[in-house]
């Protein structure tokens, strides 16, 4: 039987494993609930208003991913490509005060509750900046390299893993919209047997590559959007390989370095 856990206003709740290590974080909301309501309602309305500008607006769940990534055939890290219309749309959303506030809140939660992991992300981004100063990041100072806007109007997902994300890293999921969180919109963490009440404006940080997650549908007259931030594991592999692909690394690395890498992999 799944256990219920409620996210309460202004309350941040860590999810612990058997060793009392934090594996995920229910971020709650900032203390300024009135101001936060304005931000989250405004962000939701922006997504709904801009939905028809999306190239595939007639699809049930139009989404746009933007930011920096590596994988899926890319020869080196770079910005995710979108068509002109969608690029203009994401540029507008990324520059808007509401989404800057949302991104900043998730970044602060990450820094406060997982400082070592946060510092690791910061160091990797700094190295990527040194390697290619022209890279354009979504939000200055954020450790999340990319994000996805889900325009709704009734955004839902089936149980899934985000395999491309850093396996032991965190992604930030934010629920937006107007729906009754007692009836629908719950977040399900299948591997932890948790069903979480997840109201509009709520945030969770979790390792989405290794914890299966989904959300409960909302009612027909309600609407739900989402804003998700994450970092691809391929970016960090690129840095670890000395700014090379895995293939190039194994072609150029010494026998001793190969043995060291193999030993590291076994120890994980």
């Amino acid at each position: 039987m799944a256990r219920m856990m409620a996210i309460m206003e202004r309350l941040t709740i860590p999810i612990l494993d058997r060793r009392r290590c934090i594996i995920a974080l229910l971020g709650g909301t900032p203390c300024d609930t009135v101001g936060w309501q304005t931000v989250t309602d405004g962000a939701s309305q922006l997504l709904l208003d801009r939905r028809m500008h999306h190239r595939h607006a007639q699809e049930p769940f139009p989404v746009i991913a933007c930011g920096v990534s590596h994988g899926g055939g890319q020869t080196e890290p770079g910005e995710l490509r979108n068509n002109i219309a969608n690029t203009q749309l994401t540029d507008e959303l990324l520059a808007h005060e509401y989404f800057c506030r949302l991104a900043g809140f998730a970044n602060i939660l990450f820094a406060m509750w997982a400082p070592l992991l946060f510092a690791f992300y910061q160091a990797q981004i700094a190295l990527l900046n040194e390697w290619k100063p022209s890279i354009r990041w979504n939000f200055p100072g954020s450790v999340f390299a990319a994000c996805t806007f889900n325009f709704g109007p009734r955004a839902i997902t089936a149980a899934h893993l985000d395999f491309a994300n850093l396996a032991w890293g965190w992604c930030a999921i934010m629920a937006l919209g107007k729906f009754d969180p007692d009836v629908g919109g719950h977040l399900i963490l299948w591997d932890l047997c948790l069903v979480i009440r997840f109201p509009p404006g709520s945030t969770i940080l979790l390792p989405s590559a290794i914890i299966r997650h989904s959300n409960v549908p909302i009612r027909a007259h309600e609407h739900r959007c989402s804003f998700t931030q994450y970092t691809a594991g391929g970016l960090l592999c690129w840095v670890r390989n000395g700014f090379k692909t895995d293939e190039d690394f194994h072609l150029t690395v010494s026998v001793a370095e190969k043995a060291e890498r193999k030993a590291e992999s076994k120890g994980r």
Side-chain angles (χ1 to χ4, degrees):
M1 179 68 67
R3 290 165 287 169
M4 297 294 294
M5 180 179 293
I7 293 183
M8 301 176 65
E9 289 185 348
R10 301 188 299 277
L11 185 62
T12 301
I13 304 173
I15 298 176
L16 309 179
D17 65 11
R18 293 178 180 177
R19 296 176 298 172
R20 309 293 293 173
C21 294
I22 299 174
I23 56 175
L25 185 73
L26 309 181
T29 61
C31 293
D32 178 15
T33 53
V34 175
W36 190 245
Q37 184 82 40
T38 300
V39 169
T40 55
D41 285 352
S44 173
Q45 193 59 51
L46 271 174
L47 292 178
L48 289 174
D49 290 345
R50 303 300 187 272
R51 184 176 188 270
M52 296 312 298
H53 296 280
H54 191 289
R55 183 180 178 184
H56 301 292
Q58 301 308 317
E59 293 183 357
F61 311 112
V63 300
I64 304 179
C66 62
V68 180
S69 188
H70 183 48
Q74 291 174 288
T75 57
E76 64 177 40
E79 294 177 39
L80 294 168
R81 294 185 179 182
N82 287 298
N83 61 61
I84 294 176
N86 284 356
T87 298
Q88 292 174 340
L89 181 53
T90 55
D91 284 349
E92 177 192 1
L93 295 174
L94 292 173
H96 200 284
E97 176 190 0
Y98 293 154
F99 284 101
C100 290
R101 286 277 307 274
L102 296 178
F105 180 58
N107 206 50
I108 289 172
L109 285 174
F110 199 152
M112 290 183 63
W113 288 87
L116 294 180
L117 183 59
F118 183 86
F120 173 76
Y121 271 57
Q122 280 187 316
Q124 303 309 297
I125 288 176
L127 290 170
L128 284 166
N129 274 325
E130 290 180 12
W131 167 72
K132 193 173 185 179
S134 61
I135 289 180
R136 186 180 68 154
W137 303 94
N138 285 341
F139 302 101
S142 174
V143 295
F144 295 110
C147 68
T148 295
F149 299 98
N150 189 319
F151 292 79
R154 284 178 290 279
I156 60 172
T157 60
H160 69 286
L161 295 170
D162 299 312
F163 293 105
N165 293 351
L166 180 64
W168 40 274
W170 272 357
C171 81
I173 301 173
M174 293 184 161
L176 302 168
K178 288 189 180 296
F179 58 90
D180 185 344
D182 293 326
V183 177
H186 298 70
L187 182 68
I188 305 176
L189 304 184
W190 292 89
D191 302 298
L192 303 183
C193 298
L194 287 175
V195 178
I196 302 170
R197 183 179 181 272
F198 206 59
S202 296
T203 301
I204 186 170
L205 299 174
L206 79 161
S208 62
I210 59 175
I211 295 179
R212 289 179 301 149
H213 53 287
S214 65
N215 64 281
V216 175
I218 59 174
R219 293 177 293 184
H221 65 280
E222 299 174 324
H223 72 265
R224 182 183 185 276
C225 310
S226 66
F227 174 54
T228 307
Q229 300 177 85
Y230 46 89
T231 298
L235 284 174
L236 281 67
C237 285
W238 176 266
V239 174
R240 185 167 179 256
N241 289 341
F243 309 104
K244 301 174 184 177
T245 62
D246 284 338
E247 182 180 1
D248 288 342
F249 173 80
H250 288 293
L251 287 174
T252 58
V253 74
S254 68
V255 174
E257 287 174 312
K258 281 186 179 180
E260 182 181 353
R261 178 66 62 88
K262 188 175 181 180
E264 286 180 4
S265 298
K266 285 184 178 180
R268 290 181 184 176

